Amino acid sequence: MQIEENKVVLIEYTVKTEEGVLVDTSEGNEPLAYLHGHKNIIPGLENALVGKAVEDELSVTVKPEEAYGERHEQLIKEVPMQAFQGVEKVEPGMQFNAESPQGPQLITVTKVDGDTVTVDGNHPLAGVTLNFDVKVVEVREPSEEELSHGHVHGAGGHEH
């Protein structure tokens, strides 16, 4: 069975930046399970997997526009420390969910300077080219429930 729209796919993977920095891996864990064609994984990787089958292995380079997008400088803002009431100590690297006009947005603290905190609303991997090494370990038909929910249930997938 080949990977195509509405198939459940399980993959083992390792992803690194262009500089070789490890971003994520399934090694030592369950394979990643996703429902193909339902935007469960980044578009560049999903597109590269079309037509592949069990035991296929591939290396894929995914540019930012097919991954987490380009960086947008307008998403970097300085906010007053009082916006973090209830947080004992605000430090670079901390992440928070903030409300934006588009709904919840993950922000990362990049700098603390007195009463001013610089936050970045870009995805941490925005602007980064990613290199994937992938092995397809399973391709199957989805259950009716998986198809109606738009994601995989069970091992490697979503738990309700």
Side-chain angles (χ1 to χ4, degrees), residues 79-151:
V79 297
M81 181 65 79
Q82 67 193 51
F84 296 89
Q85 287 181 356
V87 179
E88 192 173 310
K89 186 173 183 183
V90 178
E91 297 178 322
M94 295 176 90
Q95 294 184 316
F96 299 90
N97 282 313
E99 283 301 318
S100 76
Q102 295 78 34
Q105 178 181 16
L106 181 68
I107 60 167
T108 303
V109 174
T110 58
K111 182 179 174 185
V112 177
D113 187 14
D115 288 335
T116 302
V117 179
T118 304
V119 296
D120 187 345
N122 286 288
H123 186 283
L125 293 173
V128 178
T129 297
L130 301 172
N131 293 310
F132 287 85
D133 288 316
V134 180
K135 180 178 180 181
V136 180
V137 294
E138 185 178 338
V139 180
R140 68 170 172 80
E141 295 293 338
S143 68
E144 286 184 30
E145 184 180 48
E146 289 171 324
L147 200 51
S148 70
H149 287 188
H151 56 250

Side-chain angles (χ1 to χ4, degrees), residues 12 27 34 47 55 66 71 103-104 131 136 138:
E12 293 174 346
E27 189 174 319
Y34 77 96
N47 293 338
E55 297 298 319
E66 289 290 309
R71 290 189 55 75
N131 293 310
V136 180
E138 185 178 338

Side-chain angles (χ1 to χ4, degrees), residues 6-56:
N6 296 327
K7 298 290 187 213
V8 171
V9 180
L10 278 75
I11 58 173
E12 293 174 346
Y13 69 93
T14 296
V15 58
K16 296 179 180 180
T17 65
E18 282 183 302
E19 296 78 27
V21 176
L22 180 66
V23 173
D24 195 15
T25 183
S26 63
E27 189 174 319
N29 296 308
E30 293 284 326
L32 173 69
Y34 77 96
L35 185 58
H36 196 84
H38 290 258
K39 300 181 180 177
N40 297 160
I41 63 173
I42 60 172
L45 180 57
E46 189 169 53
N47 293 338
L49 287 165
V50 172
K52 302 297 185 232
V54 173
E55 297 298 319
D56 282 353

